[in-house]
Amino acid sequence: MFRLMQPSDLAAMKALWECKRGEPADFAEKAICRFAGTENAYVAEENGQLQALVLAVPISIRGRAGSYLYGLCSTDNGTAAGLVDFVCAQQKQRGADFSVVVPSGAAQTEFFRSRGFAQAFALRCLNRPVRRNIWSQAEFDTITAKNLCELRQKYAPNAVQMAPEQMVIVLGDLYSRGATLISDSHGYGVYFRQDDTLYFVELLAEDDRAAETLMEAAREKEIIV
């Protein structure tokens, strides 16, 4: 049976999440209760036992409502497939125009492709040196959840957008993992430092030079020589 979660399901959901995803129970609870909201959490149950779960986080693209399927975990692929199909149908009835997912690897990519999903956004991975420029200046860790929503809307209007309530959770997770947020009047970025490398997981700006300025400012802050 596929259905919305009930409060009594939370303990079993956290246990399944921790078992299948390897993330702690407190993270699972935050994802279920705060990131998605219990009204957007779905489960598969058989003989009174929880078999699968997935979250349908509310999102939008250019004002069109959609859902982000997150946290899928299941005891088997067949149950997972049935739950995903059920949730997509339920979200459509709720008025969602689309559903998106970020696959965790090749196997999950193929799984979602078999459910009718198609690639929508390409992921580009670029490697480049950053020159030293002491004149490149920016602000660090001053972006709020509301600001981040506004910046994404400004620089990437065709990208998936979340509400500030969800973005608060995203920001908290980024900071807990050691991220730094950088911004100026021409763009913003989110990066992690590992040894002498800066990994920008998000970098949006008015043009290439504006993006380079952000990277140079990050280099100066991190004192990478």
Side-chain angles (χ1 to χ4, degrees), residues 44-73:
E45 180 187 29
E46 184 177 346
N47 298 323
Q49 298 295 317
L50 191 73
Q51 302 295 318
L53 72 89
V54 70
L55 310 180
V57 183
I59 57 172
S60 65
I61 296 179
R62 285 194 174 274
R64 296 176 61 190
S67 60
Y68 164 38
L69 303 189
Y70 174 67
L72 176 65
C73 45

Side-chain angles (χ1 to χ4, degrees), residues 15-136:
L16 181 64
W17 187 294
E18 191 169 15
C19 174
K20 297 298 182 181
R21 295 178 62 88
E23 295 167 328
D26 58 342
F27 180 88
E29 183 170 352
K30 181 169 63 175
I32 295 166
C33 298
R34 297 179 58 196
F35 184 51
T38 55
E39 70 279 9
N40 299 305
Y42 294 84
V43 299
E45 180 187 29
E46 184 177 346
N47 298 323
Q49 298 295 317
L50 191 73
Q51 302 295 318
L53 72 89
V54 70
L55 310 180
V57 183
I59 57 172
S60 65
I61 296 179
R62 285 194 174 274
R64 296 176 61 190
S67 60
Y68 164 38
L69 303 189
Y70 174 67
L72 176 65
C73 45
S74 175
T75 56
D76 63 88
N77 280 346
T79 303
L83 181 59
V84 167
D85 292 346
F86 173 80
V87 171
C88 287
Q90 288 291 304
Q91 290 298 299
K92 187 174 182 179
Q93 290 182 13
R94 285 186 174 191
D97 292 326
F98 62 94
S99 293
V100 300
V101 67
V102 181
S104 59
Q108 200 172 75
T109 297
E110 185 55 37
F111 169 83
F112 279 103
R113 184 178 289 118
S114 71
R115 310 317 316 150
F117 285 74
Q119 183 175 339
F121 304 100
L123 177 64
R124 295 190 301 163
C125 298
L126 308 176
N127 188 350
R128 58 171 298 165
V130 180
R131 67 173 183 171
R132 187 161 195 191
N133 185 349
I134 62 173
W135 303 110
S136 292

